[in-house]
Amino acid sequence: MQNDRSKTTDSQSKLLKGSAWMTFGSILSRVLGAIYIIPWYAWMGHYGNIANALTAKSYNIYSLFLIISTAGIPGAIAKQIAKYNALNEYRVGQRLFKHGLLLMGIFGLVCAAIMYFCAPVFAAGDQRQVPVLRALACAVAIIPIMSIMRGYFQGYSNMMPSAMSQFVEQLARVIWMLVTAYVIMQVQHGNYLNAVIQSNFAAFIGAIFGILLLAFFYLRQKRQVDQLIATSDDDLQVSTSALFREIVEQSIPFILIDSGITLYQLVDQYTFHAMIASFIHASYDQIESWYALFGLNANKLIMIVVSLATAMSVTAIPLLSAAHARREWHDIARQLENTLELFFVVMIPASFGMAAIARPLYTVFYGPDKLGVAVLQLSSFTAISLGLFTVLLAMQQGLSENGLAIKYLVIGLVIKLLIQYPLIRLFKIFGPLVATNIAMFFTIAFSLKHLHIKYHYNLGRMSRRVIGILAFSVIMFVVVFLVEHVAGMFLSPDRRISAVIDLVLGVAAGCLVYGYLALKSGLAEVIGGSRVTSLRIKLRI
C-alpha cells in the first residue's frame, strides 16, 4: 500500500514537473507568436486581415503536412521509449530512436517535395497562396528531425529540452518575421505578399535553431544515457525490421489523432467561403477578412490557452504508457485524475478570463473591432473544447487505445461536416465555432465515459472539483467584467495604450480573485501539493 502511494506521488510529481516545463515552452512560444502580430499587423496597413487570411490558410495546410511528414513518429517514439525504459530495455529504445531519425529524414524530404509541387492544387484557385505555401515547404523538410529529437527526450520524461527548443525556435522565427516585414513594408514600401512569404520562410529559420539546441542537449545527456544502456537487461531481441514495423504501427494512429484540430480548421478553410457566399453577397476579400477573424486573429490568441492542454497531453503520454506497460491500473486511474484535474484548474479560468478581457485584448493586437471582439469571446470558450479534446485523445494514445481515439475523432468530424452549413446559415461568422463545439462535445463525452468505465477513476470527486472550478471562474469573470466596465469609463477602449492599461487591470483582478478562491478553498493545494501549501501559509490564507 505504501509502495502504491509512493508511486502515485511520483507519477503526480512527474506530471506536474513535465507539465510545468512543457507549459513554459508552449506558453512562451505562443506568447511570442501572438505578440509579434501587433507590429506585423500594423505594418501590413489595410492589408492586415487579408495577410492574416493568407497566413492562416497556408499554416493549416502546413500543419497537416507536418503531421504527415512526422507520421506521428515523435509521439510514437516517446511512447515506445518510455515503455522500453520501464522494462529496463534502454538499448532497444536507443535503436528505436536512431532508426526513427532515418525515417524522419526521408519522410520530411518527400512531404516537402509534395507540398512544393502541389501548392497550386492546395491553393484552390487563389494564386497568392502558391508562393506562400512553397515558402513553408522548406520547413517541412527539416522539422521532422527536430520533432523526433523532442520525442526522444520526452520518452525519458525529460521535458526541459523540448520546452527550451520550442522557445528558441519561436524566438528565431519571430525575429526573422519582424525584420523582413519591417524592411519590405516600411523601408522598401513593397508588396504585402512578399512580406507574408518571408514570414512563412521564418519557420525554416526557427527550425534550424531548434535542432541545434536539441543536438546540444543530446550530447550533454549522452554519457548518462550510455550508463543506462550499459545496465540494460537486454532480454528483448528486436530485429531492425521489427523496429520499423513497430514505429509504423504506432505512428499511423498518431497521424490521425494529432491532426484532429487541424482537420477541423481545414473543414472551416474549405467550406466557410463557399457556404457563406451562397446566401450573403460580399466581395471575395470581405469574406476572407471574416474568415481571418476566427481562422487566425482569435485563433492565435486562444491557442496560447490551448497550449496549456497540449503541454499536459505531451507529458501524460509517456507516463501513462509506462504505467500501462507495468499493468499498474491504480496508477493509471490516478494519472487520469491528475491530468484532468490539472487541465480543468488551469484551462477553465484561463478561458473565462480571456473572454472577460476580450475587448482590450483584441484592441491591443488588432485594433478596435466589435465583430472581432465577439468572435474572440466565443473562441475563448471554444478553447476549453479544443484543450479537453487534445488531452483526452492523447491519454487514449498513451493507453494504447488508438483505435477508439480515431473512432471518436471521426464521429466528431462527421458531425462537424453535417452541421457546418446549417449553423453558418443560422449564426453567420459564428457558425464554424458553434459547429466545432457541438462536434467536439460528442468526442469528449464518448472518451470520458470510456475511460471512466475501463479505468474507474474517481468521477464523483473530479466532478465536484470541476463544479468548484467553474463557480470560481464565473465569480472571477464577473469581477473582471466589472473592472473592465469601470475602467472603460475613464480609459478609451479603442486606443491601444489605454487598452493595455485596461488589460493589465483585468488580468491582475482575475488572477487575484481566482488565486485567492483556489487557495482559500484548498483546491490549489489538492492539485499542486505541498508547494502550494507553503505558499498558502506564507500568504496567511
Side-chain angles (χ1 to χ4, degrees):
M1 186 70 178
Q2 183 66 32
N3 190 41
D4 286 344
R5 191 179 294 112
S6 64
K7 283 182 179 178
T8 299
T9 303
D10 181 59
S11 64
Q12 185 174 16
S13 174
K14 283 185 178 179
L15 177 64
L16 287 169
K17 185 178 178 181
S19 293
W21 271 115
M22 293 308 295
T23 300
F24 165 79
S26 297
I27 289 294
L28 281 181
S29 298
R30 294 291 183 182
V31 168
L32 274 175
I35 288 177
Y36 90 85
I37 201 72
I38 299 173
W40 190 90
Y41 186 87
W43 293 337
M44 293 297 130
H46 62 278
Y47 294 107
N49 275 341
I50 302 299
N52 268 355
L54 281 172
T55 302
K57 288 185 172 183
S58 63
Y59 262 82
N60 286 341
I61 296 168
Y62 165 70
S63 297
L64 189 61
F65 263 89
L66 272 188
I67 293 165
I68 294 171
S69 66
T70 56
I73 291 175
I77 290 290
K79 176 186 170 185
Q80 295 305 99
I81 286 177
K83 168 188 160 184
Y84 287 124
N85 289 354
L87 298 172
N88 200 40
E89 293 288 350
Y90 292 95
R91 198 180 306 277
V92 178
Q94 193 71 5
R95 288 179 59 214
L96 195 68
F97 168 61
K98 290 179 179 178
H99 289 308
L101 273 177
L102 177 61
L103 276 179
M104 287 293 88
I106 296 170
F107 283 5
L109 290 173
V110 170
C111 286
I114 294 172
M115 183 174 177
Y116 185 89
F117 291 110
C118 295
V121 177
F122 300 126
D126 186 354
Q127 292 305 307
R128 294 174 297 184
Q129 277 289 346
V130 176
V132 172
L133 284 166
R134 285 177 170 170
L136 285 168
C138 300
V140 172
I142 64 170
I143 284 181
I145 298 292
M146 180 174 64
S147 297
I148 198 169
M149 293 176 77
R150 286 175 178 165
Y152 170 78
F153 287 109
Q154 289 161 16
Y156 281 86
S157 294
N158 183 5
M159 304 298 169
M160 189 268 284
S162 293
M164 293 300 295
S165 70
Q166 280 183 18
F167 173 70
V168 169
E169 177 199 0
Q170 188 72 299
L171 181 62
R173 173 176 166 268
V174 166
I175 290 172
W176 183 273
M177 292 177 76
L178 291 181
V179 169
T180 55
Y182 180 79
V183 170
I184 292 171
M185 299 302 295
Q186 300 299 304
V187 177
Q188 298 176 345
H189 302 290
N191 191 319
Y192 77 94
L193 182 58
N194 292 331
V196 173
I197 291 169
Q198 285 301 318
S199 294
N200 280 7
F201 183 72
F204 174 79
I205 302 297
I208 292 291
F209 281 87
I211 289 172
L212 290 174
L213 184 65
L214 287 166
F216 167 77
F217 282 120
Y218 177 80
L219 292 174
R220 195 174 74 169
Q221 184 178 298
K222 190 174 186 301
R223 179 179 296 178
Q224 181 183 354
V225 173
D226 287 344
Q227 291 173 352
L228 290 172
I229 292 172
T231 63
S232 181
D233 288 343
D234 294 332
D235 292 333
L236 289 178
Q237 299 299 320
V238 186
S239 67
T240 300
S241 60
L243 282 176
F244 276 116
R245 187 169 60 251
E246 186 173 0
I247 290 172
V248 172
E249 287 175 355
Q250 288 294 326
S251 66
I252 290 174
F254 274 78
I255 298 176
L256 297 172
I257 296 168
D258 289 354
S259 62
I261 292 178
T262 301
L263 291 173
Y264 273 81
Q265 292 170 338
L266 285 171
V267 170
D268 292 337
Q269 177 172 326
Y270 286 108
T271 63
F272 176 75
H273 194 117
M275 286 181 177
I276 203 165
S278 69
F279 60 88
I280 290 180
H281 296 291
S283 68
Y284 185 92
D285 283 354
Q286 179 60 65
I287 294 177
E288 290 297 283
S289 295
W290 288 338
Y291 170 78
L293 292 183
F294 69 87
L296 190 137
N297 294 13
N299 188 62
K300 184 168 282 292
L301 296 176
I302 67 165
M303 288 309 290
I304 297 174
V305 180
V306 176
S307 66
L308 294 170
T310 306
M312 293 173 211
S313 65
V314 167
T315 305
I317 290 176
L319 289 176
L320 286 169
S321 179
H324 192 264
R326 294 190 296 261
R327 306 179 71 81
E328 294 173 345
W329 311 121
H330 178 71
D331 192 31
I332 290 174
R334 284 298 304 153
Q335 284 187 45
L336 290 175
E337 285 182 52
N338 292 338
T339 304
L340 289 172
E341 287 174 355
L342 187 58
F343 167 82
F344 287 121
V345 82
V346 175
M347 198 75 176
I348 292 178
S351 298
F352 273 71
M354 182 171 281
I357 60 172
R359 185 170 182 176
L361 184 63
Y362 197 92
T363 300
V364 167
F365 281 89
Y366 306 107
D369 185 337
K370 288 184 179 179
L371 182 58
V373 170
V375 170
L376 178 56
Q377 286 175 325
L378 179 56
S379 296
S380 299
F381 295 112
T382 303
I384 299 174
S385 299
L386 295 174
L388 190 53
F389 170 88
T390 301
V391 168
L392 286 170
L393 293 191
M395 289 195 296
Q396 287 191 260
Q397 283 176 290
L399 295 168
S400 297
E401 296 181 346
N402 300 322
L404 268 179
I406 293 171
K407 176 183 174 182
Y408 297 155
L409 168 63
V410 170
I411 289 172
L413 281 170
V414 170
I415 293 171
K416 165 80 170 172
L417 287 166
L418 291 175
I419 64 178
Q420 181 86 338
Y421 181 77
L423 288 177
I424 288 178
R425 182 104 192 184
L426 187 62
F427 297 110
K428 310 299 187 295
I429 191 173
F430 303 100
L433 293 173
V434 177
T436 293
N437 278 298
I438 293 173
M440 284 193 170
F441 169 81
F442 286 93
T443 299
I444 290 167
F446 289 144
S447 186
L448 279 173
K449 182 179 179 181
H450 166 74
L451 291 172
H452 174 59
I453 291 173
K454 185 167 184 178
Y455 297 103
H456 309 290
Y457 64 84
N458 197 326
L459 182 62
R461 181 173 61 192
M462 192 181 73
S463 298
R464 289 191 295 273
R465 287 175 182 166
V466 170
I467 291 171
I469 293 166
L470 191 59
F472 295 160
S473 298
V474 170
I475 294 170
M476 177 201 67
F477 178 89
V478 173
V479 171
V480 173
F481 181 81
L482 291 174
V483 169
E484 294 292 310
H485 181 71
V486 172
M489 296 178 181
F490 304 97
L491 300 167
S492 172
D494 295 336
R495 293 183 179 179
R496 271 201 170 94
I497 294 177
S498 56
V500 169
I501 298 171
D502 199 2
L503 189 62
V504 170
L505 291 173
V507 171
C511 290
L512 287 172
V513 170
Y514 184 77
Y516 176 80
L517 291 172
L519 288 169
K520 184 69 176 178
S521 65
L523 176 65
E525 210 167 339
V526 169
I527 306 298
S530 58
R531 292 183 181 179
V532 177
T533 304
S534 61
L535 175 62
R536 181 178 58 79
I537 293 171
K538 287 179 182 178
L539 295 175
R540 298 181 180 179
I541 295 176

